[in-house]
Amino acid sequence: MHHPAGAARAGERGQALVLVALFLTFLLGMAAVAVDVGRFYTERRFLQNSADSAALAAANALILGHTQSEAEAEARALLARNALDDPTGTPPALPSAVPLYADGHAGEGAYLVEGILFSGGEVRVALRNPVGYTFGRVVGLTQQEIGARARVGFT
């Protein structure tokens, strides 16, 4: 039995429509991922700059002869000022007064997750801020913890 030429074309057109719909869904999904990942990288850079400047301010205060608590106050004041310019619109909280470390590494400066730590001629500052997904919410993702650490040695 022969099919008319028009019937074959109609089936092909329907198949093309499905392929276009799948491609557009994939394309929109990739654009959504790019937006969320871009926000995370922007926040990471912002937190890194804040941590760097706070660590430098604290080290500079110590070099100038200020006490450790004065140096920490200087670092916290700088972090508070910087937080107002957070690119995500959700300013990070000031770091915990008691330094927080990665699981299983309490007291190890290299594993500082949040806080300001003074030890052996160096200052470490670690910040973190949860950033909400924009498009990831569609698949159940709510937020991603973004963090940064800085270390300044001085003599």
Side-chain angles (χ1 to χ4, degrees):
M1 184 171 181
H2 252 218
H3 294 290
R9 284 192 200 116
E12 289 172 5
R13 262 183 266 166
Q15 191 176 27
L17 184 61
V18 169
L19 289 174
V20 167
L22 288 173
F23 176 72
L24 284 176
T25 302
F26 173 76
L27 192 62
L28 288 173
M30 289 295 100
V33 167
V35 168
D36 282 337
V37 168
R39 289 183 74 226
F40 298 153
Y41 276 109
T42 301
E43 180 68 6
R44 169 77 172 83
R45 185 75 257 153
F46 170 78
L47 290 176
Q48 188 63 58
N49 288 343
S50 294
D52 289 344
S53 61
L56 286 168
N60 189 52
L62 290 173
I63 289 168
L64 293 174
H66 295 279
T67 66
Q68 185 173 306
S69 61
E70 290 170 332
E72 183 170 345
E74 179 70 27
R76 287 184 178 281
L78 187 61
L79 289 172
R81 285 193 305 272
N82 284 343
L84 300 175
D85 295 327
D86 191 285
T88 65
T90 306
L94 286 178
S96 167
V98 175
L100 303 174
Y101 301 90
D103 290 340
H105 297 282
E108 296 179 48
Y111 293 94
L112 184 67
V113 173
E114 182 183 319
I116 300 173
L117 180 66
F118 297 88
S119 67
E122 68 181 25
V123 178
R124 292 179 187 261
V125 175
L127 304 171
R128 56 186 176 172
N129 195 21
V131 176
Y133 279 85
T134 302
F135 295 101
R137 294 176 196 272
V138 174
V139 293
L141 301 170
T142 56
Q143 64 183 19
Q144 178 70 37
E145 185 87 14
I146 306 297
R149 294 187 281 214
R151 177 177 63 105
V152 174
F154 60 93
T155 55

